[in-house]
Amino acid sequence: METVSKKSFIASLSLFQKIFLIVFLLASILSFLSPIFMGSHVSDLFTVLSLVGLVCSVSGVLTSIYQARGEVIVYVFLFTNTLTYAWLAWKGDLYGQVFQNIVLLLPIQVFGLYSWRKSRSKSDDNQIDIKTFTGMQWVLCVIASLVAWYLYIDFIEYLPHLVKALFNKTITPDPTPVLDALTTVLTVMAMFLTANRFIEQWWFWIFCNVGAVLFIEQLMHVKHFTPSVLVGDLSGLFNWLQYGVGAIYGFYLWKKMHKEKNKINLTY
């Protein structure tokens, strides 16, 4: 079983984790440098916006690794990723994403840090206590998700009026409120289950990433790539791939850790 150790960061990683780290760190750097290939100057790369974007991407990669490993330090990178992404969304006038990250996800992450630290303190091997759903918990989770989905569709449709009232800014209505509401609800539910250390979180993270198919399909219809479009599309594509692969691996690893933990408990 993979446990937290005093080894160096690289030495503590499995072969798959090392490959994952290298591939997606390189992808983040490539996305950051991509405007150069479209004719931009090197000096144009080092803006506050682009540097914050790079920090957001790198913290996302580290979040995927540490979340799959079940290590409490994941929350350092998760907070960084959430706050930087919220700032980027604010600069891009994506107020729905700002609301999702700051109002919905950040408080759950604060609770998750407390929950993971408390769980780890009870464990002799420094591992968090991983839990699984009962049949009734699955039923309640599905019902709660459907109700939240319905309510959040209404919120998204009302959001332009809310932004106008609060910030005196005009934003266009969301063209796909049903799909966007579903993605948000799945993300929030996944984060809630992560905070509570349920293996079933990974099903929700995997379902969140089915949007990668829609994203790639949309990308194929882009005829003209400007530097800004290229950076945005590359970053989006790499993020979908990273979180998708990370979610599948996380599900496998948590199942393995939970099974091995139960074997150890049975010996006492």
Side-chain angles (χ1 to χ4, degrees):
M1 179 169 60
E2 297 181 48
T3 59
V4 180
S5 67
K6 295 183 179 180
K7 296 180 182 179
S8 67
F9 169 62
I10 296 297
S12 69
L13 299 180
S14 68
L15 176 60
F16 177 85
Q17 292 164 4
K18 289 176 182 177
I19 294 173
F20 183 94
L21 177 68
I22 293 171
V23 168
F24 287 107
L25 281 183
L26 289 176
S28 297
I29 295 172
L30 175 62
S31 177
F32 176 74
L33 297 176
S34 59
I36 294 179
F37 307 124
M38 299 296 294
S40 296
H41 298 291
V42 174
S43 58
D44 296 334
L45 299 178
F46 297 95
T47 64
V48 174
L49 192 66
S50 60
L51 290 174
V52 171
L54 181 61
V55 172
C56 184
S57 296
V58 173
S59 63
V61 175
L62 294 172
T63 294
S64 293
I65 291 176
Y66 279 116
Q67 186 175 347
R69 288 162 62 91
E71 297 186 24
V72 179
I73 195 175
V74 66
Y75 281 95
V76 173
F77 302 108
L78 192 54
F79 289 149
T80 301
N81 183 257
T82 298
L83 293 172
T84 52
Y85 184 79
W87 187 83
L88 293 171
W90 177 268
K91 288 296 183 178
D93 295 329
L94 301 174
Y95 297 103
Q97 292 296 313
V98 176
F99 180 86
Q100 174 182 313
N101 282 268
I102 298 300
V103 179
L104 299 179
L105 297 182
L106 193 59
I108 298 175
Q109 292 167 7
V110 173
F111 167 73
L113 174 60
Y114 166 78
S115 175
W116 281 38
R117 284 177 62 87
K118 184 178 179 181
S119 171
R120 186 189 63 172
S121 66
K122 297 177 181 178
S123 173
D124 293 333
D125 60 5
N126 216 25
Q127 282 262 330
I128 62 170
D129 181 27
I130 297 173
K131 300 183 290 185
T132 59
F133 269 2
T134 63
M136 180 56 67
Q137 285 173 318
W138 258 121
V139 172
L140 293 175
C141 189
V142 170
I143 292 174
S145 298
L146 291 174
V147 172
W149 183 20
Y150 175 80
L151 294 176
Y152 205 74
I153 292 172
D154 285 343
F155 172 78
I156 288 179
E157 293 176 339
Y158 180 73
L159 187 60
H161 304 287
L162 185 63
V163 171
K164 182 67 175 179
L166 293 177
F167 308 109
N168 196 29
K169 286 192 175 185
T170 301
I171 63 174
T172 57
D174 192 318
T176 57
V178 175
L179 180 61
D180 290 341
L182 177 61
T183 302
T184 297
V185 168
L186 288 174
T187 301
V188 172
M189 185 60 72
M191 191 65 71
F192 176 76
L193 297 179
T194 298
N196 286 278
R197 310 181 313 281
F198 282 106
I199 290 177
E200 287 75 12
Q201 61 160 306
W202 296 111
W203 285 114
F204 286 85
W205 287 124
I206 290 169
F207 290 147
C208 283
N209 284 277
V210 297
V213 178
L214 299 176
F215 182 87
I216 294 172
E217 181 183 4
Q218 180 183 5
L219 187 62
M220 292 175 64
H221 289 87
V222 177
K223 297 181 179 179
H224 302 288
F225 287 98
T226 63
S228 60
V229 170
L230 181 63
V231 171
D233 287 342
L234 277 178
S235 298
L237 179 59
F238 290 146
N239 283 338
W240 281 118
L241 291 174
Q242 172 206 315
Y243 290 123
V245 173
I248 295 171
Y249 176 68
F251 177 73
Y252 157 77
L253 192 56
W254 275 47
K255 289 282 284 186
K256 178 182 177 183
M257 290 190 295
H258 181 65
K259 183 178 180 180
E260 294 182 0
K261 186 81 169 183
N262 285 342
K263 286 183 179 179
I264 293 175
N265 292 336
L266 290 174
T267 62
Y268 291 95

